[in-house]
């Protein structure tokens, strides 16, 4: 009983909707970290107008996001009982939490999973929508972000490289939290069914990611001994894109996973995962999160050949190529000719490497707990 009294409490305010199955939130914060702390998670909902407490989860109507501390106070959540309050990605929520810090006495952490402001700005440039006012807006948002960040007790970027590129000189103690593997979910490599080489691409399709470069490359592959699965939250958009590539339409399946279990089944059915992204700062300062889905099932990933990806993987456990059509075609043809044995060996090597490094959520939880104890 006395041990429970000494356990510290953490409130993690996510930017995720209720029922969202999210890689890091689930195993790290709602899983392994609970071995060390009492962790409560806040989710938002667009579809309900009432507050809900479900065990250690709170579900809050989205319209109360910017006044979340006052709202939770009214709903009898004792904010003064929490030692730490973390906010994920939302500057408006962070602002409210920082204003309430002195009143309740908790320490504040800010988690950035991805530099979204910079991504939006880069996407506008790609789509030729960049304007003078857009540049000013991006600058002001960056200034506001840095001002809020400087008031935090702990900053949790996805990587040190991301911090140095997008959040330099914040003066805040940082603890990078990259994506990782959940040891409870890992499976050995399983050969895909049939004779074809089965590829899978998991994630968003948009102009900044330049996914069509990959499709163009597939149209130029000499062999037809392949199949591509595209697993995305927006299948209709993917179908629209595929309408421009009728010559390979019968070689591509567009699928959707409603939860992490479904996604793992989809990945497990394939041989190689595609995680190729343009070599620009918003993508080259962190290893793509989707590769963790691939190596969970011990399937090797195709990665953009850049220093960040090379800092974690080698030619023994990943498939590298530069992000241009010619190199992608060459690498795809090489993979199609590889033996299942060599692919499995590469997948297991990558999986073992991630589990033994700090890309293991159980290890990451222990180290984050130590960091919190030192604040």
């Amino acid at each position: 009983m006395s041990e429970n009294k000494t356990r510290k409490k953490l409130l993690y305010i996510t930017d995720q909707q209720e029922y969202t199955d999210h890689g890091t939130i689930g195993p790290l914060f709602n899983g392994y970290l609970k071995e060390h702390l009492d962790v409560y998670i806040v989710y938002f909902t667009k579809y309900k107008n009432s507050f809900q407490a479900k065990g250690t989860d709170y579900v809050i109507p989205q319209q109360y996001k910017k006044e979340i501390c006052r709202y939770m106070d009214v709903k009898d959540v004792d904010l003064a009982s929490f030692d730490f309050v973390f906010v994920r990605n939302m500057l408006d929520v962070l602002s409210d939490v920082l204003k309430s810090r002195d009143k309740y006495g908790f320490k504040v952490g800010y988690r950035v999973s991805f530099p979204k402001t910079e991504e939006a700005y880069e996407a506008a440039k790609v789509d030729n929508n960049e304007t003078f006012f857009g540049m000013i807006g991006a600058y002001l948002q960056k200034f506001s972000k840095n001002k809020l960040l400087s008031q935090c007790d702990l900053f949790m970027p996805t990587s040190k490289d991301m911090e140095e590129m997008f959040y330099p000189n914040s003066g805040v103690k940082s603890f990078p939290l990259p994506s990782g593997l959940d040891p409870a979910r890992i499976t050995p490599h399983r050969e895909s069914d049939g004779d074809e080489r089965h590829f899978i691409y998991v994630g968003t399709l948009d102009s900044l990611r330049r996914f069509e470069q990959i499709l163009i490359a597939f149209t130029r592959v000499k062999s037809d001994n392949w199949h591509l699965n595209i697993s995305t939250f927006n299948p209709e958009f993917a179908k629209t894109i595929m309408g421009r590539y009728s010559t390979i339409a019968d070689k591509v399946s567009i699928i959707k996973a409603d939860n992490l279990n479904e996604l793992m089944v989809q990945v497990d059915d394939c041989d190689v995962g595609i995680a190729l992204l343009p070599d620009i700062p918003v993508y080259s300062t962190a290893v793509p999160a989707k590769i963790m889905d691939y190596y969970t099932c011990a399937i090797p990933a195709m990665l953009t050949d850049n220093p960040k990806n090379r800092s974690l993987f080698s030619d023994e456990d990943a498939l590298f190529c530069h992000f241009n059509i010619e190199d992608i075609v060459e690498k795809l043809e090489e993979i199609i000719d590889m033996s299942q044995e060599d692919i499995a060996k590469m997948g297991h090597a990558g999986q073992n490497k991630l589990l033994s490094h700090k890309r293991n959520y159980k290890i990451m939880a222990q180290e984050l707990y130590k960091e919190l104890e030192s604040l």
Side-chain angles (χ1 to χ4, degrees), residues 1-8 34-36 38 369:
M1 193 71 162
S2 60
E3 186 181 332
N4 285 337
K5 285 183 180 177
T6 61
R7 279 172 67 90
K8 291 185 177 178
K34 287 188 172 182
E35 295 174 11
H36 310 282
D38 291 334
Y369 170 66

Side-chain angles (χ1 to χ4, degrees), residues 78 87 136 165 198 216 289 297 304 320 324 332 335 346 370:
D78 183 10
V87 178
I136 294 296
M165 174 63 70
H198 287 257
I216 293 169
C297 300
T304 306
F320 289 97
N324 62 67
L332 288 174
I335 293 167
M346 188 173 279
K370 289 178 189 171

Side-chain angles (χ1 to χ4, degrees), residues 205-260:
L205 316 177
D206 59 28
S207 55
L208 188 59
R209 285 173 175 80
R210 295 170 64 195
F211 176 70
E212 290 190 59
Q213 293 276 91
I214 296 165
L215 291 177
I216 293 169
F218 272 110
T219 67
R220 298 184 185 176
V221 170
K222 295 185 180 71
S223 169
D224 64 354
N225 193 34
W226 60 270
H227 191 88
L228 170 64
N229 286 344
I230 301 171
S231 182
T232 179
F233 284 119
N234 194 341
E236 292 307 313
F237 182 63
K239 288 173 186 173
T240 300
I241 291 175
M242 280 309 303
R244 300 195 279 271
Y245 300 91
S246 57
T247 59
I248 57 170
D250 62 335
K251 307 291 290 178
V252 178
S253 299
I254 297 168
I255 53 181
K256 181 182 179 184
D258 291 322
N259 55 58
L260 201 53

Side-chain angles (χ1 to χ4, degrees), residues 121 124 129-140:
Y121 179 61
N129 290 328
E130 180 189 7
T131 65
F132 173 75
F133 292 107
M135 292 171 63
I136 294 296
Y139 174 79
L140 291 175

Side-chain angles (χ1 to χ4, degrees), residues 216-330:
I216 293 169
F218 272 110
T219 67
R220 298 184 185 176
V221 170
K222 295 185 180 71
S223 169
D224 64 354
N225 193 34
W226 60 270
H227 191 88
L228 170 64
N229 286 344
I230 301 171
S231 182
T232 179
F233 284 119
N234 194 341
E236 292 307 313
F237 182 63
K239 288 173 186 173
T240 300
I241 291 175
M242 280 309 303
R244 300 195 279 271
Y245 300 91
S246 57
T247 59
I248 57 170
D250 62 335
K251 307 291 290 178
V252 178
S253 299
I254 297 168
I255 53 181
K256 181 182 179 184
D258 291 322
N259 55 58
L260 201 53
N261 289 333
E262 286 183 16
L263 180 61
M264 289 299 100
V265 171
Q266 293 173 358
V267 172
D268 204 29
D269 284 341
C270 296
D271 303 304
V272 172
I274 298 176
L276 296 171
L277 291 165
D279 200 3
I280 57 177
V282 290
Y283 298 133
S284 62
T285 53
V287 173
K290 70 185 74 182
I291 68 160
M292 301 303 161
D293 299 325
Y294 303 150
Y295 284 101
T296 294
C297 300
I299 76 169
M302 283 184 74
L303 295 173
T304 306
D305 199 342
N306 62 36
K308 186 62 185 176
N309 289 334
R310 286 278 183 185
S311 71
L312 185 57
F313 292 99
S314 70
D315 291 318
E316 280 70 51
D317 43 47
L319 299 148
F320 289 97
C321 69
H322 294 289
F323 196 82
N324 62 67
I325 293 169
E326 292 75 18
D327 278 25
I328 297 171
V329 170
E330 185 179 337

